[in-house]
Amino acid sequence: MKAEITPQEYEAFKTFLQDACGILLGDNKQYLVKSRLRRILEENNLNSLGELLDRLKRVGRSGLRELVIDAMTTNETLWFRDNHPFRILQDKLLPEFAERNSLQPLRVWSAACSTGQEPYSVGMVVDEFRRIRPGKLRDVKITATDISKSVLEVARRGEYEMIAIGRGLSPERQKQFFTPSPNGGWQIKPQIKAMVEFKELNLLERYMLGKFDIIMCRNVLIYFSADLKKDILTRMHGALNPGGYLILGASESLNGLPDLYEMVQCHPGIIYRKK
């Protein structure tokens, strides 16, 4: 990017990004935009953010648009992030669903799953629960979604470098759930990988995923405006089975929507149950 970002260009890009994927950029984030979009501009022979916006207007929903969204939404993640949700899953939710007299599978949605650490972590907790309670929760299906094609490709492979494995994963779980791969990485074992289906999804668009017993939507709503957050949580309510649970990030709360969800204190940790 040869030219500095003008205030007009930055405001126009903020509008584009919010309309495209819901992310609300704060003020004075020009450095972030420049660093994440530099390669895209160079590869497309564009000299400024304004030229990129003009190109995006002309080509509409194109591969370039997806590349820009991908660059601005890709975030790092880790295994068993924040810990409390996985303890709640293990100690409260899985036992509760295991005792329900239902022939239906337990369905979990990991929204904004990034490179797959969250849904695979859920799969590990399910596998550990099955070892303790043989015969319970035989049919568990985890749907994991993200807007980014590139992170979904990584997630579907289920193969990680050692530096990624070390972020939140204990040596015991690494040994139990991974095998070394020929190129020096670590491959998640088939019994965990088989639980998870990855799909591309923009949280601003219509959900065609079916119904879920548990939705994990963590550390993504903080990037949205209050109105978009309310809209997403309302539509997630519609995607939950009766009595289903919503799990948000540690720094996120469910402000409003008292007619849709009730708070459940888990000491420590808070989750929300569908009314």
Side-chain angles (χ1 to χ4, degrees):
M1 186 181 294
K2 298 178 181 179
E4 290 298 317
I5 298 175
T6 67
Q8 294 79 11
E9 289 173 338
Y10 186 63
E11 288 301 317
F13 185 73
K14 285 173 61 178
T15 300
F16 160 79
L17 194 63
Q18 185 171 11
D19 291 345
C21 61
I23 289 182
L24 183 60
L25 277 177
D27 295 331
N28 303 317
K29 296 288 185 179
Q30 289 90 336
Y31 68 93
L32 178 67
V33 174
K34 288 187 69 171
S35 65
R36 293 199 174 187
L37 298 184
R38 179 175 287 109
R39 178 177 295 181
I40 293 175
L41 268 68
E42 290 175 352
E43 292 176 349
N44 288 272
N45 297 315
L46 300 169
N47 293 320
S48 68
L49 185 61
E51 288 185 16
L52 174 63
L53 289 167
D54 289 341
R55 178 79 62 85
L56 289 169
K57 290 176 183 178
R58 292 200 303 271
V59 297
R61 297 182 72 89
S62 67
L64 179 60
R65 179 181 183 274
E66 301 309 318
L67 284 174
V68 171
I69 295 172
D70 196 24
M72 295 304 301
T73 57
T74 301
N75 293 294
E76 292 187 357
T77 186
L78 61 154
W79 306 96
F80 296 91
R81 184 173 183 177
D82 301 328
N83 192 43
H84 292 325
F86 300 98
R87 182 194 56 77
I88 293 168
L89 186 68
Q90 183 178 44
D91 296 343
K92 173 179 171 56
L93 300 187
L94 294 185
E96 177 180 323
F97 286 109
E99 295 308 316
R100 291 188 181 183
N101 295 320
S102 174
L103 299 177
Q104 298 297 317
L106 174 65
R107 295 206 63 206
V108 182
W109 175 13
S110 170
C113 67
S114 189
T115 45
Q117 280 87 335
E118 179 176 270
Y120 286 141
S121 294
V122 173
M124 293 178 208
V125 173
V126 170
D127 189 82
E128 291 169 346
F129 181 85
R130 287 170 171 171
R131 294 171 189 267
I132 299 171
R133 303 280 296 276
K136 297 292 186 179
L137 296 179
R138 293 182 178 180
D139 193 356
V140 176
K141 299 182 183 300
I142 304 166
T143 299
T145 66
D146 202 280
I147 193 174
S148 169
K149 291 181 179 180
S150 63
V151 299
L152 288 174
E153 289 174 0
V154 174
R156 289 190 182 102
R157 287 197 299 271
E159 183 177 343
Y160 301 89
E161 296 179 356
M162 190 63 217
I163 190 171
I165 288 290
R167 300 192 67 206
L169 192 68
S170 68
E172 294 78 14
R173 279 175 165 151
Q174 179 185 345
K175 183 178 179 180
Q176 183 175 356
F177 296 114
F178 288 83
T179 55
S181 57
N183 60 4
W186 290 84
Q187 178 70 53
I188 192 127
K189 288 187 175 179
Q191 76 267 23
I192 305 301
K193 194 173 184 180
M195 290 188 216
V196 187
E197 180 183 18
F198 292 96
K199 295 184 177 182
E200 185 179 347
L201 179 75
N202 185 335
L203 288 175
L204 301 188
E205 298 175 355
R206 188 179 179 187
Y207 309 155
M208 301 289 289
L209 302 172
K211 294 285 189 175
F212 297 92
D213 302 294
I214 301 168
I215 296 178
M216 303 181 79
C217 183
R218 305 192 307 133
N219 308 302
V220 63
L221 295 178
I222 54 175
Y223 300 109
F224 296 156
S225 68
D227 288 341
L228 283 179
K229 177 180 175 180
K230 183 177 180 180
D231 177 63
I232 290 169
L233 292 174
T234 299
R235 287 185 288 127
M236 284 186 170
H237 177 272
L240 278 169
N241 283 321
Y245 292 94
L246 171 70
I247 303 177
L248 300 180
S251 62
E252 297 166 326
S253 62
L254 187 67
N255 296 322
L257 303 177
D259 296 333
L260 301 184
Y261 297 96
E262 61 177 323
M263 182 185 297
V264 179
Q265 293 277 359
C266 296
H267 308 290
I270 297 171
I271 59 176
Y272 302 90
R273 183 164 46 219
K274 177 177 179 175
K275 287 187 176 181

